[in-house]
Amino acid sequence: MNIVIISASVRVGRKSHRVALYFKKYIESNNIANAEILDLNAYQFPLFEERLQYMTNPPANVLEFSEKVKNADGVLFVTPEYNGGYPASTKNVVDLLYTEWRKKPLGIVTVSNGVFGGSQVITSLLFSFWKIGAWVIPAMFPVPKVQDNFTEEGDVTDEGINKRAKAYIDELLWCIEAKKRMQA
């Protein structure tokens, strides 16, 4: 099984990437699946001009990203909340793809430096994914005070997070299995 983790922030000093690193470690150390981080900071996509499916000469990194999302059994989308919304890099990549998101089991992880854990961004991002047909799992994973709960290397300082992560990943796995059974 393959799970891709999209680290959506490209901001200098970003903290949400810590959570992407954490989930990669969590998934692999518990032998749940193969996990790969697709770091939007590394991809440096240009501003959205057209969906991939309509591009006449798409860049190689866009094609690579598309293939990785398409071939994933599930996606964890880790995004920060900036001023009550998601960053442009998040919207940019959501709109870039279309068929790759359709019926893809997808978990939303929101991150903030404050106490609400990015909860304000969940509804707007959820609506965008619903609109393009992604199968967003019913569980959410808001991360408050990310700077206090995760090291730069993605290690947790509060072991209670592992308990929350287990329930969250179990929900993603359930949806992945359900999709496989529906396709059989």
Side-chain angles (χ1 to χ4, degrees):
M1 180 180 321
N2 293 313
I3 296 174
V4 297
I5 302 161
I6 298 175
S7 182
S9 178
V10 298
R11 187 178 189 175
V12 174
R14 63 192 176 152
K15 305 266 186 322
S16 59
H17 191 67
R18 298 174 181 197
V19 181
L21 291 169
Y22 164 76
F23 272 108
K24 180 176 180 9
K25 288 179 181 183
Y26 181 87
I27 290 166
E28 290 179 342
S29 68
N30 287 289
N31 297 314
I32 294 168
N34 295 319
E36 179 180 8
I37 294 176
L38 303 182
D39 185 357
L40 297 188
N41 194 44
Y43 279 98
Q44 289 294 307
F45 292 131
L47 283 177
F48 176 79
E49 293 175 349
E50 186 58 85
R51 286 194 192 281
L52 171 60
Q53 66 189 25
Y54 300 119
M55 288 182 184
T56 54
N57 191 18
N61 66 343
V62 170
L63 293 173
E64 174 194 299
F65 183 84
S66 166
E67 277 301 305
K68 289 182 179 197
V69 171
K70 185 169 88 174
N71 293 328
D73 296 299
V75 174
L76 285 182
F77 205 100
V78 181
T79 186
E81 177 181 289
Y82 297 156
N83 302 317
Y86 47 78
S89 55
T90 295
K91 183 65 170 151
N92 199 44
V93 78
V94 169
D95 290 343
L96 178 65
L97 305 181
Y98 187 77
T99 57
E100 296 85 348
W101 298 127
R102 292 245 347 118
K103 298 185 179 171
K104 179 72 65 181
L106 185 141
I108 297 173
V109 178
T110 57
V111 177
S112 77
N113 289 342
V115 296
F116 297 112
S119 60
Q120 293 175 329
V121 75
I122 290 173
T123 54
S124 53
L125 189 54
L126 180 61
F127 184 77
S128 291
F129 276 123
W130 277 346
K131 185 76 176 161
I132 58 179
W135 182 10
V136 181
I137 68 171
M140 298 294 163
F141 199 91
V143 177
K145 298 197 176 258
V146 65
Q147 70 281 3
D148 297 337
N149 292 310
F150 292 85
T151 67
E152 287 186 31
E153 296 78 26
D155 297 317
V156 292
T157 59
D158 173 5
E159 286 301 316
I161 291 171
N162 288 329
K163 191 188 262 187
R164 285 183 53 223
K166 180 183 180 340
Y168 183 71
I169 294 297
D170 284 350
E171 189 74 19
L172 177 64
L173 296 174
W174 189 94
C175 291
I176 290 170
E177 182 61 30
K179 180 182 177 187
K180 285 180 181 177
R181 289 182 184 195
M182 292 298 291
Q183 291 175 325

